[in-house]
Amino acid sequence: MKQKKLWMYYLLAWVAYCGYIYIDNIVNGRGVQPYVWSNLMASFVAFTFCFFVLYPKFLNRKLILLFIVGLGIAEGLFIGTRWLVEEVIYIPLIGHGNYNPGTAIMYYISDNWWKALQPILLSFICWAFLETFNRERENEQLRQDKIQAELAFLKSQINPHFLYNTLNYIYSMAYPVSDRLADTIIKLSNLMRYMLADNANTLVDLQKEVDYLNNYIDIYRMRFEDHFFVDFKVTGDVGHAQIASLMLIPFVENAFKHGVMDDAQRPVRINLKANAQQLTFTVSNKINRNQKDHSSGIGMANIRRRLDLIYPGKYDLLIANNGDTYKSTLSIKLAQ
């Protein structure tokens, strides 16, 4: 949430609490006595600490031990602030404190700890209501984004269908002429088939994704012949893992577009390690300094957005760029 809105909600909650204190004193005929102001100041300190620190930093992150310690701190802030106002500041200002001189500190604590519960509980109610509202709004936004992504993917299938059918026709004409040309066309056709067969937000066998990458790499290899150096290694048990389709190809596309593929000493390195629970995909390439197109290709922001939609809280994406080598490492927890 934006900090400006957070402060607005905080001030509204605090105004509501002040109104509650005022009405409570009027209804019970206590008026606005000095201890009411000290109670408000102490409540302000405890309320603010709980709203901005205790609940979002400790409770929201499930740090239970620190949360319990924080409750004690909130109690201490309330009691300490009230003692400072009533027994230190009030005496020279109005000539007396709220308690008799010589009152034991333990009695002061026992008489005030329950009063501190009011701002502590009210701040929790305000924070919990705000947190629930924000999470529901975020979930709704995620649902809408996922729907839009699915619709955009379905819309993108119109032209690929035409291309796929055309490639099959071209293959039938190329086969009698050149086996190599026909082989390239059939690999490209397989790429199109994979793109059309599976929705972008559904899970497919990881082996299908590996086959797709192999076909993609083979087409590039045929294009550049002996000047194409790519090292693609697959380790682990890919036969029992599943992944969202077309999740890995953007990293390879970026490497081919912005990397150097004709250096035998520094080939593009693609490593996939997976089992049924975990996948690690690493792509590294020497940066092409002669690249005229300095655009980011398939942007990392778009890739992260899709990962957020399909694998929320279940992935890590690390990007390293030292000016000479670009390396991306994607780790996904596959177990559902």
Side-chain angles (χ1 to χ4, degrees):
M1 174 184 292
K2 292 183 179 179
Q3 198 68 17
K4 185 177 180 180
K5 285 189 175 181
L6 182 63
W7 277 99
M8 181 183 71
Y9 289 124
Y10 161 76
L11 290 174
L12 287 174
W14 179 244
V15 169
Y17 180 72
C18 290
Y20 161 74
I21 294 294
Y22 176 79
I23 294 173
D24 178 64
N25 281 279
I26 296 299
V27 169
N28 289 282
R30 292 190 294 264
V32 185
Q33 301 178 21
Y35 81 89
V36 173
W37 298 109
S38 63
N39 184 49
L40 275 176
M41 283 183 273
S43 297
F44 172 79
V45 173
F47 185 100
T48 303
F49 171 75
C50 292
F51 190 86
F52 287 106
V53 179
L54 182 60
Y55 300 130
K57 303 295 184 182
F58 301 151
L59 183 60
N60 200 32
R61 299 178 182 177
K62 299 181 180 179
L63 302 175
I64 303 303
L65 182 60
L66 290 177
F67 173 69
I68 295 173
V69 173
L71 284 175
I73 294 175
E75 287 274 353
L77 287 172
F78 179 91
I79 295 172
T81 301
R82 189 166 187 188
W83 176 84
L84 177 66
V85 174
E86 293 180 345
E87 308 306 322
V88 177
I89 298 176
Y90 273 5
I91 290 177
L93 285 180
I94 63 177
H96 64 84
N98 191 39
Y99 287 77
N100 294 325
T103 299
I105 188 65
M106 292 307 298
Y107 175 80
Y108 194 90
I109 293 173
S110 65
D111 193 45
N112 280 277
W113 72 267
W114 63 272
K115 296 177 182 177
L117 292 179
Q118 289 187 27
I120 291 174
L121 290 176
L122 182 64
S123 64
F124 171 75
I125 293 172
C126 294
W127 174 83
F129 175 81
L130 188 58
E131 187 73 7
T132 301
F133 173 76
N134 286 332
R135 287 189 178 183
E136 182 59 32
R137 186 172 61 179
E138 289 173 0
N139 289 337
E140 180 61 28
Q141 185 62 47
L142 283 175
R143 287 192 290 268
Q144 292 299 323
D145 287 348
K146 189 171 183 179
I147 291 172
Q148 291 302 318
E150 291 173 350
L151 290 175
F153 183 79
L154 291 173
K155 183 178 179 180
S156 72
Q157 290 183 333
I158 297 174
N159 285 335
H161 270 298
F162 169 76
L163 293 175
Y164 173 62
N165 292 332
T166 303
L167 284 172
N168 285 338
Y169 173 70
I170 295 174
Y171 169 76
S172 66
M173 292 191 299
Y175 184 76
V177 178
S178 169
D179 291 343
R180 187 177 182 185
L181 176 59
D183 188 42
T184 303
I185 293 173
I186 201 63
K187 287 181 180 295
L188 183 57
S189 178
N190 287 336
L191 292 183
M192 300 301 301
R193 184 193 300 273
Y194 181 74
M195 293 175 64
L196 295 172
D198 299 290
N199 185 284
N201 293 323
T202 58
L203 298 180
V204 298
D205 292 339
L206 181 56
Q207 185 61 55
K208 290 184 177 181
E209 192 81 356
V210 172
D211 293 340
Y212 180 81
L213 293 177
N214 276 320
N215 283 331
Y216 186 84
I217 294 170
D218 286 344
I219 290 175
Y220 260 87
R221 183 172 285 110
M222 293 175 185
R223 176 183 172 187
F224 292 99
E225 297 182 343
D226 296 333
H227 303 288
F228 183 77
F229 300 97
V230 173
D231 182 16
F232 181 25
K233 293 182 179 178
V234 178
T235 58
D237 184 11
V238 299
H240 293 85
Q242 288 192 317
I243 189 175
S245 64
L246 305 174
M247 183 60 73
L248 305 180
I249 189 62
F251 300 97
V252 179
E253 289 180 337
N254 279 344
F256 287 4
K257 182 175 183 180
H258 300 288
V260 175
M261 294 175 288
D262 59 358
D263 188 345
Q265 301 301 316
R266 296 183 59 182
V268 176
R269 300 189 184 277
I270 306 170
N271 293 295
L272 174 62
K273 182 179 180 180
N275 54 45
Q277 290 76 39
Q278 181 80 24
L279 174 148
T280 302
F281 187 64
T282 304
V283 179
S284 63
N285 61 272
K286 178 181 177 181
I287 296 175
N288 187 353
R289 300 183 182 280
N290 297 321
Q291 174 66 253
K292 294 181 180 180
D293 182 3
H294 296 288
S295 65
S296 60
I298 300 174
M300 285 298 112
N302 292 337
I303 295 172
R304 288 184 186 275
R305 186 56 179 161
R306 187 167 179 234
L307 286 165
D308 286 337
L309 289 171
I310 302 175
Y311 296 104
K314 296 181 180 180
Y315 80 92
D316 288 307
L317 177 56
L318 302 177
I319 304 296
N321 184 348
N322 62 9
D324 181 62
T325 302
Y326 188 92
K327 182 178 180 180
S328 54
T329 303
L330 172 65
S331 298
I332 302 177
K333 293 180 181 179
L334 300 177
Q336 300 299 310

